[in-house]
Amino acid sequence: MVSEECLRLIHKKIAKGTLSEDEISLIVNEISDDKFSETELTAFFVSLATNGLTEEEMIAFTKALRESGNILRFEKHPVITKHSIGGIPGNEVSLIIVPIIAAAGLTIPKTATHAITSPCGTLDVAEIFCPVELSPEETKRVVEKTNGCIVSGKSVGLAPAIDKMLDAVSSLRIDPKQLMVASIIAKTAALDVDYLLMDIPTGKKAKAAHISEAERLATVFTAVGQSINLKVECAITPGDKPVGSRLGVSLEAASLLRTLKNEEWGEKANKSTSLAGIMLELTGKCEPGAGKELATKIITSGKALKKLNEIVEAQGGSLDVDLSPGDSKFDVCAPVSGVVYGFDNQALTSIARVAGAPKDKQAGIELWVRRGDKVEKGQKLYTIYSSSEARLDKAIELAQRHDAILMERPILKLVTPRRLDTESSL
Amino acid sequence: MVSEECLRLIHKKIAKGTLSEDEISLIVNEISDDKFSETELTAFFVSLATNGLTEEEMIAFTKALRESGNILRFEKHPVITKHSIGGIPGNEVSLIIVPIIAAAGLTIPKTATHAITSPCGTLDVAEIFCPVELSPEETKRVVEKTNGCIVSGKSVGLAPAIDKMLDAVSSLRIDPKQLMVASIIAKTAALDVDYLLMDIPTGKKAKAAHISEAERLATVFTAVGQSINLKVECAITPGDKPVGSRLGVSLEAASLLRTLKNEEWGEKANKSTSLAGIMLELTGKCEPGAGKELATKIITSGKALKKLNEIVEAQGGSLDVDLSPGDSKFDVCAPVSGVVYGFDNQALTSIARVAGAPKDKQAGIELWVRRGDKVEKGQKLYTIYSSSEARLDKAIELAQRHDAILMERPILKLVTPRRLDTESSL
């Protein structure tokens, strides 16, 4: 149970009050020390989600979060990492970026999470190759040996207070943007990072729906980072369709290896080298404008593949694993002829998750069309994979109820007077 | 000069007051009788644009507008017509729809305007074939002979008060949606119309930016129509790219004829038959769901072409005219390789207008790519035509400053901390 003083502070936030640095520090300490019950965590979380935080409160919160957990120190600087605000299917580019940056001689400790809402998170892909639940000491050893790592932020014990709060309210499926910023910046700062590149996907159903919202979020990330000497750069990226054409653990892992083996060059490779290029420029590894070319060369020369192999082996795994998708599969075909207009990311995510992703590593979706493709009625649009016939059936049912791939059409919606007559009187 | 009473009503609206039916009627009458000076018209217009109109005021305004001008009566009912809220390049589908509907035996008096903001209006295309400034008597004669017409609403003298107000403030380039609704409904009702199909294009830079805005607008159109026994149906259509691939008078007219001659079947034909299909279903000319097929058949059988020829001849013109685009032309090529993501309608419109459209009938743009096309650097994206080398040069300059065709890219925008350091302190 929380202290009387802390309870008073929860009441203060519920009553729309502003908390001082000391008050926030007290709350974060009591959360870290497991003094908060689930009810108390929820009450504090909802008061934050409803009443928000001032900029000073956010900075204090971020500092207190960072100091609530382990802080790692690395000898070789600059230390750089990247993060995404998440929510976009297929956006697993960290496993391409980490080996590029590490191969370029920079230190890149990458912590990640399992997928919360998307079909597959960075950690889901990583753990098909190697253990990801490393202790702080193990993490330090891997990074000092290979320049990089891909591990669970939770197991390293970074800013545990935020994870306790998020775990307590996970059933609510509320993700306040201010907590997301505080969590990402606090965990990154706890890893001794000098530079952070944020990927902010933007689009209708993305977390940042409009570019103005993405810009506002970028300013907050930058300002909070600045308050603790972390240089944050934000790349606003397209979030209105999946990144690449494969969703799900095995499918994305296979795609990743094909890219690093220089056997295919898709959208994910394009995005990864753009982001890695910014990171190389930011740290002075190359002239401004030359980053993407350098990042590309690190892949095509085979150095990135070699580096990923080193990292995976240092974490105790191997790249030599079976990456075939599930035997149960179904082709979803075009219900009408027409031109592909766009993708419903939420529908694709739901279908992939019902098929079993990310727990079922063999579950996922492979897209056969891209925006602008002309398709005939009955033509294959995408394939759903699963390792369970029963889950596949449920995914097919969902796919038949929701159009995951949108076709161009001359009329979007018809508003008729008959409906007005009968249903409403205005 | 307006009467003392009317001046008091202008003051009342500026002070956010609500006007009664009689008060609105007095204002509209004094505008029609040219009592309003330009200053007084502007003051009233701005007070409407700022303070809006209640639903009762809008209905009273629409009724007063209709009664302020000529009212035509037709013997053959049902009378049906269509209108668009405008603003989308290439959206000239009326010259395909009018002959389809007239050929199906329905009465369709179509009034239109010259382009205000787009590269080409319905009236601009129509007058390349025939006179469009018809008197009320001439209009009635043409419709009774052929079932249809395409004429200037201004010359028929429909709701002149609205045109006087819009002319007075045209330099302001403000287009309040409530005046647009009142104007369209009043003019349509003055043509003895039973059914109106509204086309509401929706997209980022369109007049209705979001589908929710389009729906709100549709509800207002429907409600105001209902108040004067006009059944309004609204089709919400895509407005985030041009309709079809040709913009400008000659180019659009040539495309129209090729469609009616069954020599090409593009996006404009697809949209026209969808809209005409709704109109055929609405008036009971066919079963629900069978409209598009019937509309298509009226084109492919040659009946629509024959009907357009009849209408154009009845208005004193001919379809046999030179429709070649200007001799001065320039190919705009892709600055980078990539995939076509979308179109900037405002940039396309500006380029076409600077090239001379719509006054220069031979000016315009022909697009060579569509969304999703993969293009190589240097590949032809679109051609600008003009009949003047000097205007073409200005259009080229504009095309080089603004990307009218947008390419997919992995990063939309980069937000950097350096800018924050130097330019803002948050």
Side-chain angles (χ1 to χ4, degrees):
Chain A
M1 223 172 96
V2 298
S3 66
E4 274 305 307
E5 172 62 6
C6 198
L7 188 61
R8 194 187 61 78
L9 297 178
I10 296 174
H11 292 166
K12 188 176 177 184
K13 196 70 213 167
I14 290 172
K16 302 187 189 181
T18 303
L19 303 174
S20 72
E21 207 174 313
D22 287 346
E23 289 172 335
I24 286 172
S25 181
L26 176 69
I27 292 173
V28 171
N29 285 340
E30 294 205 6
I31 295 176
S32 303
D33 296 345
D34 288 325
K35 300 268 180 69
F36 272 64
S37 69
E38 207 171 303
T39 311
E40 289 153 356
L41 277 176
T42 306
F44 181 58
F45 175 87
V46 172
S47 76
L48 287 190
T50 311
N51 300 326
L53 291 166
T54 67
E55 199 185 310
E56 287 73 28
E57 285 180 309
M58 267 200 75
I59 291 169
F61 195 51
T62 305
K63 285 181 179 167
L65 281 175
R66 178 185 51 171
E67 276 143 36
S68 75
N70 293 322
I71 297 188
L72 267 60
R73 294 280 169 217
F74 297 105
E75 274 174 29
K76 214 166 116 202
H77 279 257
V79 178
I80 185 166
T81 197
K82 75 147 288 262
H83 236 291
S84 162
I85 65 166
I88 307 300
N91 198 16
E92 302 324 316
V93 291
S94 292
L95 281 112
I96 304 179
I97 292 174
V98 168
I100 292 175
I101 299 300
L106 294 160
T107 304
I108 179 163
K110 170 70 189 147
T111 59
T113 55
H114 288 98
I116 301 167
T117 55
S118 74
C120 171
T122 296
L123 216 52
D124 299 304
V125 179
E127 74 178 2
I128 205 169
F129 297 122
C130 59
V132 293
E133 312 277 337
L134 269 60
S135 70
E137 297 69 35
E138 286 169 330
T139 302
K140 208 163 172 306
R141 186 189 52 77
V142 171
V143 174
E144 286 182 347
K145 187 173 174 192
T146 69
N147 288 351
C149 70
I150 302 125
V151 299
S152 155
K154 220 183 228 176
S155 65
V156 184
L158 307 174
I162 195 92
D163 290 317
K164 284 176 185 167
M165 211 184 329
L166 293 176
D167 285 349
V169 299
S170 65
S171 70
L172 292 178
R173 293 173 69 182
I174 300 172
D175 186 6
K177 294 207 172 78
Q178 291 174 314
L179 285 195
M180 178 178 74
V181 173
S183 167
I184 290 176
I185 298 291
K187 289 179 181 180
T188 303
L191 282 171
D192 207 14
V193 170
D194 305 298
Y195 298 97
L196 167 65
L197 177 64
M198 281 304 308
D199 171 14
I200 306 182
T202 307
K204 229 187 201 169
K205 291 182 176 179
K207 288 188 188 172
H210 297 284
I211 200 154
S212 57
E213 211 178 325
E215 285 172 331
R216 236 180 356 258
L217 204 51
T219 315
V220 176
F221 268 113
T222 303
V224 174
Q226 206 164 29
S227 75
I228 49 176
N229 283 319
L230 174 63
K231 280 221 178 303
V232 184
E233 192 136 347
C234 300
I236 299 172
T237 60
D240 57 350
K241 54 170 195 170
V243 178
S245 59
R246 297 186 194 91
L247 316 176
V249 181
S250 291
L251 286 161
E252 295 194 41
S255 187
L256 151 80
L257 287 190
R258 278 199 291 272
T259 300
L260 294 182
K261 285 177 185 166
N262 215 4
E263 291 170 2
E264 77 173 30
W265 195 264
E267 217 173 324
K268 237 177 258 199
N270 192 17
K271 178 167 182 175
S272 303
T273 48
S274 289
L275 292 175
I278 294 168
M279 296 166 84
L280 294 169
E281 293 171 20
L282 197 59
T283 49
K285 272 283 159 188
C286 63
E287 293 297 303
K292 189 176 169 94
E293 203 187 322
L294 176 55
T296 304
K297 224 172 122 187
I298 294 175
I299 292 182
T300 54
S301 66
K303 283 184 194 159
L305 179 64
K306 193 164 157 257
K307 180 54 79 178
L308 182 64
N309 197 40
E310 272 175 37
I311 295 171
V312 163
E313 285 186 353
Q315 291 190 202
S318 157
L319 290 181
D320 188 20
V321 291
D322 179 17
L323 297 176
S324 51
D327 285 333
S328 300
K329 61 180 181 169
F330 180 79
D331 293 333
V332 177
C333 298
V336 292
S337 298
V339 173
V340 174
Y341 176 85
F343 299 85
D344 183 335
N345 275 345
Q346 285 177 358
L348 286 170
T349 295
S350 299
I351 294 164
R353 286 185 74 99
V354 167
K359 267 200 179 164
D360 176 354
K361 304 271 181 200
Q362 296 190 296
I365 287 177
E366 185 152 19
L367 300 165
W368 303 110
V369 293
R370 46 174 304 154
R371 180 149 40 202
D373 281 357
K374 203 169 169 171
V375 300
E376 296 298 322
K377 185 177 169 175
Q379 190 180 323
K380 204 162 75 167
L381 294 178
Y382 60 94
T383 302
I384 312 173
Y385 296 94
S386 180
S387 60
S388 143
E389 201 66 41
R391 282 198 307 268
L392 180 69
D393 285 345
K394 281 191 188 156
I396 296 170
E397 199 193 311
L398 196 61
Q400 277 156 352
R401 273 189 291 127
H402 297 284
D403 286 340
I405 293 183
L406 312 169
M407 310 290 273
E408 292 204 354
R409 54 214 156 133
I411 292 167
L412 301 173
K413 188 170 180 170
L414 203 56
V415 181
T416 78
R418 290 180 291 269
R419 284 188 43 209
L420 209 90
D421 284 339
T422 52
E423 288 172 23
S424 130
S425 62
L426 248 186
Chain B
M1 225 170 95
V2 298
S3 66
E4 274 305 307
E5 172 61 6
C6 198
L7 188 61
R8 196 187 60 78
L9 297 178
I10 297 174
H11 291 166
K12 188 176 177 184
K13 197 70 214 168
I14 289 172
K16 304 187 186 178
T18 303
L19 303 174
S20 72
E21 206 173 316
D22 286 346
E23 289 172 336
I24 286 172
S25 181
L26 175 69
I27 293 173
V28 171
N29 285 340
E30 293 204 9
I31 295 175
S32 304
D33 295 347
D34 288 325
K35 298 266 181 72
F36 271 63
S37 69
E38 208 170 303
T39 311
E40 289 153 356
L41 276 175
T42 307
F44 181 59
F45 175 87
V46 172
S47 76
L48 286 190
T50 311
N51 300 326
L53 291 166
T54 66
E55 199 186 310
E56 287 72 28
E57 284 181 310
M58 267 200 76
I59 291 169
F61 195 51
T62 306
K63 284 181 179 167
L65 281 175
R66 177 185 54 172
E67 275 141 38
S68 75
N70 293 322
I71 297 186
L72 266 60
R73 294 278 169 219
F74 297 105
E75 275 175 27
K76 213 166 116 201
H77 279 256
V79 178
I80 185 165
T81 196
K82 74 150 285 266
H83 236 291
S84 162
I85 65 166
I88 307 300
N91 198 16
E92 302 324 316
V93 292
S94 292
L95 282 114
I96 304 179
I97 292 174
V98 167
I100 293 174
I101 299 300
L106 294 159
T107 303
I108 179 163
K110 171 69 190 149
T111 58
T113 56
H114 289 97
I116 301 168
T117 55
S118 74
C120 172
T122 298
L123 217 53
D124 299 303
V125 180
E127 74 180 1
I128 206 170
F129 297 123
C130 60
V132 293
E133 312 277 336
L134 269 60
S135 70
E137 297 69 34
E138 285 169 330
T139 302
K140 210 164 171 305
R141 184 188 52 77
V142 171
V143 173
E144 286 182 346
K145 189 173 172 192
T146 69
N147 287 352
C149 71
I150 302 126
V151 299
S152 155
K154 219 184 228 175
S155 66
V156 183
L158 307 173
I162 195 91
D163 290 318
K164 284 175 185 165
M165 212 187 325
L166 292 175
D167 286 349
V169 299
S170 64
S171 69
L172 293 179
R173 294 173 67 182
I174 300 171
D175 187 6
K177 294 206 173 79
Q178 291 174 315
L179 285 194
M180 178 179 74
V181 173
S183 167
I184 290 176
I185 299 291
K187 289 179 180 181
T188 303
L191 281 170
D192 208 13
V193 170
D194 305 298
Y195 298 97
L196 167 65
L197 177 64
M198 280 305 307
D199 171 14
I200 306 183
T202 307
K204 229 188 200 169
K205 292 182 175 180
K207 287 186 188 173
H210 298 285
I211 202 152
S212 57
E213 211 178 325
E215 285 171 331
R216 237 179 356 257
L217 203 52
T219 315
V220 177
F221 268 114
T222 304
V224 174
Q226 206 165 28
S227 76
I228 49 177
N229 283 321
L230 173 63
K231 280 221 178 304
V232 184
E233 191 135 352
C234 299
I236 299 173
T237 60
D240 57 351
K241 52 170 196 170
V243 179
S245 59
R246 298 186 194 91
L247 317 175
V249 182
S250 291
L251 287 161
E252 294 194 41
S255 185
L256 151 81
L257 287 190
R258 278 200 290 273
T259 299
L260 294 182
K261 285 176 185 168
N262 214 3
E263 290 168 3
E264 75 173 31
W265 195 264
E267 216 174 325
K268 237 177 258 200
N270 191 17
K271 178 167 182 174
S272 304
T273 48
S274 289
L275 292 176
I278 294 168
M279 296 165 84
L280 294 170
E281 292 171 20
L282 198 57
T283 50
K285 272 282 159 188
C286 63
E287 293 297 303
K292 189 176 169 96
E293 202 187 324
L294 176 55
T296 304
K297 222 172 125 186
I298 295 174
I299 292 183
T300 53
S301 66
K303 281 184 195 159
L305 178 64
K306 193 165 157 256
K307 180 53 79 178
L308 181 65
N309 196 40
E310 270 176 35
I311 295 171
V312 163
E313 285 186 353
Q315 291 190 201
S318 157
L319 289 181
D320 188 20
V321 291
D322 178 18
L323 296 176
S324 50
D327 286 333
S328 301
K329 61 179 181 169
F330 180 80
D331 293 333
V332 177
C333 298
V336 291
S337 298
V339 173
V340 174
Y341 177 84
F343 300 85
D344 183 335
N345 275 344
Q346 284 178 358
L348 285 170
T349 296
S350 299
I351 294 164
R353 287 185 74 99
V354 166
K359 266 198 179 167
D360 176 353
K361 304 270 182 202
Q362 295 189 296
I365 286 177
E366 185 152 19
L367 300 165
W368 302 111
V369 293
R370 47 174 303 154
R371 181 149 37 202
D373 280 358
K374 203 170 169 172
V375 299
E376 295 299 323
K377 185 176 171 177
Q379 188 180 325
K380 205 161 72 166
L381 295 178
Y382 61 95
T383 302
I384 312 172
Y385 296 94
S386 180
S387 61
S388 144
E389 201 64 42
R391 282 200 306 268
L392 180 69
D393 285 345
K394 281 190 188 157
I396 295 170
E397 200 192 311
L398 196 62
Q400 278 157 350
R401 272 189 292 126
H402 298 282
D403 286 340
I405 294 184
L406 312 169
M407 310 291 270
E408 292 203 353
R409 55 213 156 131
I411 292 168
L412 301 172
K413 188 169 178 171
L414 202 57
V415 181
T416 77
R418 291 180 293 270
R419 285 188 42 212
L420 208 90
D421 285 338
T422 54
E423 287 171 24
S424 128
S425 63
L426 249 187

